[in-house]
Amino acid sequence: MDVIDAWDGRRACLLQEALRMTQEDFAEFVEVSVRTVGKWHSSRDSRPRPDVQKLLDAAYKKASPDARQRFHLLARGGADVHQAQAFRVAVAVVTRDSDVLLVCRRGDDSLSWQFPAGTVKPGRTGAVVAVEETRAETGVRCAVRQRLGERVHPKTGVLVEYHLADYLMGDAENLDVEENVEVAWIPRRDLTRFIPEQHIYPPILEALA
């Protein structure tokens, strides 16, 4: 059996494609969260943590010979994952009085503050996903007030849509410890201390001004 020297988002997605599995089925097969699989689709250069590398190794070993052959054919062909081009993410910019809700994501070797977000699957709407993912990640219930727009993210190449949302209820807590380190309400005026201004979609800054 061939050995994979290191897994990244692209190779993980190619394995999913070779196995002909949905994101939910692949997450269960690898024993990770669906959000983790979504991260591989949205950030193909991302490098999973060592413990997740081991889980992907084990998943590859469990794959049938035909699936492993398909994986290597896809990899040798330099094929990108087809779904990545159509991959859509919904972001929730949740406000409570003068504060905005952020989550601190685990990266390859770093941490980064972001707005709650989730994958928009076929048949779903971005506004609904933004609300549901905020609750799933942080325990905060919110309601979308306004769609701020969408863009192809300059770093990941993924189509991202942004929704401004109002806080309804719930204490902010980290409910996804696999992906996040911390959840916090931060003053709107301090947002650029957590996320560099050049990385923030301009309509967000206008809405929070």
Side-chain angles (χ1 to χ4, degrees), residues 90-92 117-121 123-136 142-144 147 161 163:
V91 169
T119 305
V120 183
K121 298 173 184 175
R124 307 297 305 283
T125 65
V128 170
V129 170
V131 168
E132 291 180 348
E133 286 298 317
T134 297
R135 182 181 177 188
C142 64
V144 169
R147 189 177 188 273
E161 56 182 84
H163 299 270

Side-chain angles (χ1 to χ4, degrees), residues 75-95:
R76 283 200 298 270
D80 281 332
V81 181
H82 306 311
Q83 300 94 322
Q85 297 302 321
F87 193 78
R88 179 185 293 265
V89 169
V91 169
V93 182
V94 185
T95 62

Side-chain angles (χ1 to χ4, degrees), residues 105-165:
R105 303 276 192 213
R106 301 180 189 274
D108 298 338
D109 299 305
S110 62
L111 304 175
S112 64
W113 288 93
Q114 302 175 20
F115 300 103
T119 305
V120 183
K121 298 173 184 175
R124 307 297 305 283
T125 65
V128 170
V129 170
V131 168
E132 291 180 348
E133 286 298 317
T134 297
R135 182 181 177 188
E137 284 192 84
T138 72
V140 168
R141 294 174 182 262
C142 64
V144 169
R145 182 201 318 171
Q146 169 186 359
R147 189 177 188 273
L148 296 175
E150 66 179 41
R151 65 171 175 173
V152 175
H153 196 281
K155 183 176 180 181
T156 64
V158 170
L159 185 61
V160 183
E161 56 182 84
Y162 300 86
H163 299 270
L164 185 65

